[in-house]
Amino acid sequence: MRSRSNSGVRLDYYQHLVHKTILTHQNPITGLLPASIDQNHAWVRDNLYCIMAVWGLALAYKKTADMDEDRAKAYELEQSVVKLMRGLLQCMMRQVDKLEKFKYTQATTDSLHAKYNITTCGTVVGDNEWGHLQIDATSLYILMLAQMTASGLQIIFTLDEVAFIQNLVFYVESAYRTPDYGMWERGDKTNHGWPELNASSIGMAKASLEAIKEMDLFGSRGGPASIIHVMADEISQCKAILESMLPRESKSKEIDASLLSILSYPAFAVEDLDLINLTKNEIISKLEGRYGLSRFLRDGYKTPMEDPRRLHYEPWELSVFEGIECEWPLFWTYLILDGLFKGDKGQVMEYKEKLSEVMVKGEDGLPLIPELYTIAADKVDAEREEPGSQERSPGGKMPHMWSQSLYILGCLIQEGFLAPGEIDPLNRRLICQPRPDLVVQVSILAEDLYIQDLLKEHGIEVQTTQEVANIRVQPARVLSHIYHHLGQNKKLGLSGRPSYDIGLLGTSQLYTLKGQTFAFTPQFIDQQQFYLALDNELLVDMLKTDLAYLRYNWRNLGRPTVTFPVSHNMLVGRVLPPPLQNCLQKLLAGSMDGVRIHVGKLEEFMSTSCFTSLDFLYLSDESPVSDADEVTQYLDTLLSPTFPKRNLLSMPRLGAKRSSSLSRKASFRVLGSVRRSRSVFVDEHNLPDIATGIDIASLGSTSSALTPDLASLVDASDETFTEDNQAKTDVKGDRVPDVRHSPSMSKLRDGSGDIDCAELVEHLKDTWSLQEQADILHYLYNTQGPDWETKINMREGVTVVMLVGELYEKAGQLKQWSIVRHMAGMLRKRVEDLAQAATDLLVRQKQLSVGLPPQPRERTITHPLPPEELAKMIYDSCGEDSSTAVLTQEILVYLAMFIRTEPNLFREMLRLRVGLIIQVMVSELARTLSCTGEEASEHLMSLSPFDLKTLLHHILSGKEFGVGEVERGGGNKSLSIRKMEKEEVTGMSRLRKQVTIIEHNDKLRKGSEEEFEQSMQVDRQGQWLRRRRLDGALNRVPVDFYTKIWNVLKWCQGLSIEGQVLSSSVTQEMTPGELNFALRVEGILNSIPQPEYRQLMVEAMMVLALVADTDYKRNLRGVIMVDRLVADANAMFLSELKSMFKDEVDSNTVEFRTGAANICTDFYDSAPSGRFGTMVYMSKAVAQTLDCEPDSIADCTIA
């Protein structure tokens, strides 16, 4: 017999080690591994990590086999791996009903179980008895299935199993918006059963989706039916959320060692090398000890201070675990593998030596790794005084098979039996490699020959959609319907893909189905869904944003191909609008905002585009098609309109006259009802009087019609309403009351019997004014109901809601945005991306609130909601003000756009209060236009979607903006938001005018100098009041604000704000960098309804934070009344001003106005620093309260 080589002997040693520590415990029937010898529970995650060493050893034997016996061992080890993987598959397939439910509910009780019976594959605990929802475990199964299949193992046997794996993909796709219990099965670190959004789960899900994408589970013997499909946009979402969370693990864990599993092997989920290093350094610096790494800060598991009689912890007792957390050698095995994959020998040797010192010799001399090391109860105090000084003893499982497996895997690579690429055949380790600059392919298509000729006149040669050879162009909603059939399996009761949203990465590919090629237009272009696509400027802006998105998120083979159709709805009076024309010219030039563009015909892109097969549509038993003809019929069905179009309402026409008039009573009750339904108002008393030079009366609010004759018609109706309104209602000139408590709305219903609805319908038929049509339909909708038959034009079956839909379309064509928004609200329309937009904000650790404050009108959203539930919450919070409900949806979509492209705008902001943001937008328009709040509210509703988005951006960035007028077509003018030039913001234009006047007169007079100073003072008036209002409405705080407040609470008993106390006990429950602490502080600050007053509170708290950094911190005792500090500072400010202007005050020539919370408006309008700075008086108030020297408190800058 041939003698064994040295490598063979060494492999036999590792085979013996694997057998003794892992395989000896494998169940011969199910192939599952128990958590320990005395337990019959098999955890999914533990089993997967334990079998990695077996898989690695099989690959090593296969590669270096020098005897038949070695090849036999390799096969035996491979089958052990296959048996375990199939055992886990059987466990999960027994819960297929839960998998189906979870796709739609994301409920913890509908999740797959985390552990199973080792002998029966059945469940071992109930749905509510364990933290079963562990997306990282399910994702790890998918990841290892993909890697092992790529290495040559055959694990999946049937198409039914393929369908189940496809639905497992749907299960983990929602990881970026689904709170789970994480790797430690606890969720929130108090272990009360509260799931959290965990970065480690999101990272593992991202890795699994990338690994399984387009994987043939039958290997080289498979076909189209055995391929797994993954939507690229879901991967991109996981990537964005993961990068926004790191280095934080969750709300309650500011750092967690479980993140090592996604930074390196096995997931390799993070693409940003700097972020990898930052997170790893945070883990090591905060969690590493002499015996390993703690799982997370204040982890009480198996510490001597833990009460073994209960699983949960009380919030106040978490601080007793600080500094004595158990240390796990497991994480050193991750760092060894990380060093091996990076080629960092120094890191490998460092942690190999550390690991060897904590390993324990078994009975037969084999090295064993304990689960953890714990400290004795009598050494706790000494350890706290000097961390790392006390000896620890092994605890938990011995050996810890998870740790043992990763240790063996590292040894096999270090000794050369395995190359890193052999246990990573999908090359995930190369994820950080730089990618070549991307070229985006754009195909511009004309809707018909007229559009084609129009574009040709501007030098743009394009094809029509009918001329595209062999490629069918369809809207994105068709692709979403097709993907709904993916993963359907009648035998297993699986319904397929649950979501109907198709993102840009999905529509930027070409598809094949039954020999046909398909291209799909982006979803934002689909004008049948929501009105945003009707605004050309917004359409162009969204195209720019999406091209940039493709540049940074495209990971598929081939180039992205964007199909951009130009339709009649994009024209203005049958003319190509300038924004669209400029956009097309830039595309032809080959570059747009730094993105390289190649414009061409679709057939030219066939060889360079990314192709995906849709053949799954006809391969399954539940397929709606079987041949090419049926495919065509099926697509035609999806594109057919859901209701026939009618033309029952009159369109505005030049020179048209009214054929009928309403009675005075009907005019009073009906005309203007849309405007009276508004619920947004602002307090104008503190708005500075700023002239704009714009004739507001000439700018068409929605009550203005499209022609002079129609304008006079509506003006007359408005005058009637105004006259009667002043006499008979309680609506004041400077404020619009809350619509749900408005007398006018109750009168609308109570007096509906006094008005002849037939008269209204007759007038509705004859009037050319869109505003009158809107008012009448609004009245009928609220008094008669949406399904009331109007019998307009003697037609049967024509209901109010049908006419509302028709007016919605006509107003959209004419760009009458106020009417469009109100009709959309009456139709209860929902933005397609509403739930996704809210999710984008929430998963980036932002909370949302909708509706106007205070509660209960204002509703807080803390976790992702289904689209229908979210839309209902928005409509309920806005009451009968349907316009504001739709505006809220719009703003949520824009906020989501900004947080994806400009996350810095949201720095130090935890809660986005949409109702307050709307109020600030109205306030800003009222300030800029010098108009009333009611007028500003109407102007806000009349802004185009693009101008609304621009205004929101200016408010988020704190930049000044200008208001101009623009012609929207048909002679209709409206407001437009524009960026102010630098000289306009700084007052340089005024200075230049003054200098010109002085030079012209050739002399400098004292009076001119004083006049100039006064004019410059007007420019500065309201600057700081405005900034405080903006920052307060946006909940913006200074950098490290929450960490500093945590430090203040360490020294006092609490902070009192508006009667609510933030107790110092939260420091025992939460760490300084914990997101839950920041949310606790934010929740108390949000009880303040006035945004400018909230910001003064923040400034006062910052002064207290400065005290906490000085020797006077011991003076921080008791409960500190923050609102009292602000009031005292305001009193000092007023006292000093009154003493300076004593004569003027006595003669009543100077008056100090009182603003929110009885604080002087001049105090609100003072800069933080300077002679009369707010921080100066805050410091004096704090010094007076704490009995310390004012000079000892340093100046503070509020960012």
Side-chain angles (χ1 to χ4, degrees), residues 989-1005 1008 1011-1012:
S989 58
R990 186 185 299 273
L991 175 62
R992 288 175 180 172
K993 289 180 181 178
Q994 192 74 17
V995 170
T996 302
I997 293 172
I998 292 172
E999 290 178 348
H1000 180 73
N1001 294 334
D1002 200 28
K1003 58 184 177 179
L1004 178 63
R1005 296 186 180 91
S1008 299
E1011 183 181 345
F1012 173 67

Side-chain angles (χ1 to χ4, degrees), residues 1006-1069:
K1006 183 178 181 180
S1008 299
E1009 190 174 345
E1010 292 175 353
E1011 183 181 345
F1012 173 67
E1013 286 297 326
Q1014 291 175 1
S1015 66
M1016 291 300 290
Q1017 184 65 29
V1018 171
D1019 276 346
R1020 291 190 293 267
Q1021 184 183 1
Q1023 174 184 344
W1024 281 102
L1025 173 59
R1026 172 180 180 263
R1027 178 167 178 177
R1028 286 190 173 95
R1029 280 181 175 165
L1030 291 180
D1031 287 345
L1034 297 172
N1035 288 15
R1036 186 173 277 135
V1037 297
V1039 177
D1040 296 330
F1041 171 74
Y1042 302 106
T1043 304
K1044 292 175 180 176
I1045 299 307
W1046 191 93
N1047 195 36
V1048 171
L1049 291 173
K1050 278 203 315 181
W1051 297 98
C1052 67
Q1053 293 182 6
L1055 299 175
S1056 176
I1057 300 172
E1058 290 288 284
Q1060 298 192 50
V1061 177
L1062 180 65
S1063 174
S1064 60
S1065 63
V1066 297
T1067 61
Q1068 300 175 4
E1069 176 186 349

Side-chain angles (χ1 to χ4, degrees), residues 1030-1162:
L1030 291 180
D1031 287 345
L1034 297 172
N1035 288 15
R1036 186 173 277 135
V1037 297
V1039 177
D1040 296 330
F1041 171 74
Y1042 302 106
T1043 304
K1044 292 175 180 176
I1045 299 307
W1046 191 93
N1047 195 36
V1048 171
L1049 291 173
K1050 278 203 315 181
W1051 297 98
C1052 67
Q1053 293 182 6
L1055 299 175
S1056 176
I1057 300 172
E1058 290 288 284
Q1060 298 192 50
V1061 177
L1062 180 65
S1063 174
S1064 60
S1065 63
V1066 297
T1067 61
Q1068 300 175 4
E1069 176 186 349
M1070 305 171 188
T1071 56
E1074 191 173 322
L1075 185 59
N1076 279 338
F1077 174 74
L1079 292 173
R1080 183 77 61 88
V1081 177
E1082 191 70 25
I1084 291 182
L1085 285 174
N1086 285 339
S1087 65
I1088 305 171
Q1090 306 95 336
E1092 61 268 40
Y1093 184 50
R1094 178 190 189 277
Q1095 285 310 100
L1096 285 185
M1097 291 286 210
V1098 170
E1099 293 178 32
M1101 294 167 75
M1102 285 298 293
V1103 175
L1104 292 173
L1106 287 174
V1107 175
D1109 290 334
T1110 68
D1111 294 336
Y1112 288 94
K1113 57 191 172 188
R1114 301 192 183 279
N1115 292 31
L1116 294 169
R1117 51 183 177 269
V1119 177
I1120 300 173
M1121 314 287 286
V1122 181
D1123 37 6
R1124 180 69 59 81
L1125 293 177
V1126 175
D1128 290 346
N1130 177 66
M1132 294 177 185
F1133 173 82
L1134 274 176
S1135 175
E1136 190 162 340
L1137 284 188
K1138 287 179 180 179
S1139 64
M1140 291 181 61
F1141 299 98
K1142 186 176 185 303
D1143 295 338
E1144 289 83 350
V1145 172
D1146 292 341
S1147 61
N1148 293 325
T1149 57
V1150 172
E1151 179 184 0
F1152 299 103
R1153 293 182 299 170
T1154 300
N1158 293 320
I1159 301 297
C1160 177
T1161 55
D1162 294 304

Side-chain angles (χ1 to χ4, degrees), residues 958-974:
K959 296 178 181 178
E960 289 282 356
F961 64 91
V963 181
E965 55 183 340
V966 65
E967 188 168 328
R968 299 292 184 188
N972 179 47
K973 293 182 179 179
S974 62

Side-chain angles (χ1 to χ4, degrees), residues 55 59-60 63 147 151 341 416-425 429:
W55 176 48
L59 292 172
K63 181 174 72 171
Q147 293 278 28
S151 73
F341 275 92
F417 294 112
L418 283 176
E422 290 178 285
I423 58 170
D424 179 32
R429 64 194 182 282

